[in-house]
Amino acid sequence: MRAHDSATVLTAIAVTATGSPRTGSADTAAPAASAAPAAPASTPRTSGTLLAGLGVVSFSLTFPSTVWGLESFGPWSLVAVRSTLAALIAGTFLLAGRVPLPERRHWAGLAVVACGVVIGFPLLTTLALQTSTTSHAAVVVGLLPLTTAALAAVRTGRRPSRTFWIAAVSGAVVVLGFTLQQSGGAFSTGDPYLFGALLVCAAGYTEGGRLAALMPGRQVIGWALVLCLPLMAAASAVTLSIEPVHLNAHGVIGLIWVAAGSTFFGLYVWYRGMAAIGIPKASQLQLAQPLLTLFWSVFLLGEDLPLAAPVAAVAVLACIAVTQRAKS
């Protein structure tokens, strides 16, 4: 009888060791085991937020850099050369990393990214900045987070919470109100370009964010740029022969930044951040972009800093904090 009891105990211990359900003390240990991986779970979200935020900072320099670039290049040649340089940088990284070609099913999405953020947005905003100030052009960025979140909800089927949408709309209203107040509330001749840029960029962000969950962010923007290289290289040759070029320090620095900083590096970290925290939350970080652009415009272009800017900045940061905590 004792031998039978001893065998029973040994069998029970063996079964417990293999992880079968038990009651009593085994239940007490279960929460600790399941809670163990929870500690590092916040790390991808934190790093994703930081990466997407770094992308926003890079994007905030785009309009001032474009204004500088227009000192040396015409609008069409600036966009063509910018995209060509960015594509060459991306191609170099892809070749160095021996990255294989994307799967056939991804090429349509990459084409949307290319048309939206590599060609469409840079071209339309550059044309707009010939007649619009950087503060007025920030209206585009003020609406971009909300538009991107809306398109992402339709494209991916994910529905953020009501709290998220209230904060997102509130942030858009604050940014729009601030930027329109600074521009006198008047529409400019560049507004059709700006609103067109808004739509194509939101589409490119949404599709790029979706693809970044399937492949590394550097490959998303890298292949989208390489896809445009033949067209942009040909466009560079044609536009540089038609539009006059007057090289100066501002023009060269502006071109280098919009090519390497905004188009390549900015979109690389942006899509990586999107993949980590999701398209809706990443898009709302861009609520800060118009205000950052305004500050850069003050320091780089000599524009005046409005008194309402700090108030708007605090309101926008509050809205961003709510969207990052809201369920999405």
Side-chain angles (χ1 to χ4, degrees):
M1 184 68 179
R2 288 181 180 176
H4 175 74
D5 291 343
S6 178
T8 304
V9 171
L10 289 174
T11 302
I13 292 174
V15 170
T16 303
T18 59
S20 63
R22 291 295 305 266
T23 57
S25 61
D27 289 337
T28 314
S34 62
S42 61
T43 302
R45 290 194 294 270
T46 302
S47 61
T49 301
L50 291 175
L51 286 170
L54 185 58
V56 170
V57 174
S58 300
F59 298 153
S60 69
L61 279 160
T62 301
F63 286 171
S65 298
T66 299
V67 172
W68 274 9
L70 288 171
E71 293 183 17
S72 294
F73 302 92
W76 295 90
S77 57
L78 177 62
V79 172
V81 175
R82 152 190 185 166
S83 299
T84 300
L85 292 178
L88 291 174
I89 296 171
T92 301
F93 275 90
L94 291 173
L95 284 174
R98 297 182 179 180
V99 178
L101 289 172
E103 298 177 29
R104 182 179 299 179
R105 62 192 177 98
H106 295 326
W107 281 109
L110 290 170
V112 173
V113 176
C115 293
V117 302
V118 178
I119 299 176
F121 186 79
L123 177 60
L124 292 171
T125 53
T126 300
L127 293 173
L129 285 170
Q130 293 184 103
T131 56
S132 298
T133 63
T134 53
S135 60
H136 185 80
V139 173
V140 173
V141 182
L143 286 173
L144 188 55
L146 184 60
T147 307
T148 302
L151 285 180
V154 174
R155 181 71 176 88
T156 64
R158 296 182 61 183
R159 300 291 185 268
S161 65
R162 182 178 300 178
T163 301
F164 174 90
W165 287 116
I166 292 174
V169 171
S170 299
V173 169
V174 170
V175 172
L176 274 176
F178 173 72
T179 50
L180 287 174
Q181 186 267 333
Q182 296 306 311
S183 61
F187 288 97
S188 72
T189 55
D191 283 339
Y193 294 125
L194 294 174
F195 286 111
L198 164 69
L199 294 176
V200 298
C201 189
Y205 281 171
T206 299
E207 197 63 22
R210 186 188 68 83
L211 288 173
L214 305 175
M215 64 176 73
R218 68 180 183 279
Q219 293 185 27
V220 174
I221 186 56
W223 288 117
L225 284 165
V226 170
L227 188 63
C228 297
L229 181 56
L231 176 62
M232 291 294 100
S236 297
V238 173
T239 55
L240 286 174
S241 65
I242 297 175
E243 294 180 332
V245 176
H246 306 287
L247 292 180
N248 60 31
H250 279 178
V252 173
I253 293 173
L255 172 63
I256 291 174
W257 179 259
V258 292
S262 300
T263 306
F264 177 72
F265 175 76
L267 288 170
Y268 164 55
V269 295
W270 175 247
Y271 285 133
R272 283 193 61 186
M274 271 191 168
I277 64 176
I279 301 172
K281 287 190 175 183
S283 67
Q284 297 313 299
L285 294 174
Q286 281 198 299
L287 286 170
Q289 187 172 326
L291 297 170
L292 289 172
T293 297
L294 179 61
F295 286 124
W296 290 124
S297 299
V298 170
F299 290 113
L300 299 177
L301 305 179
E303 297 183 4
D304 296 328
L305 178 65
L307 295 176
V311 177
V314 171
V316 164
L317 290 175
C319 292
I320 291 175
V322 173
T323 61
Q324 298 308 296
R325 291 180 175 273
K327 181 180 178 181
S328 63

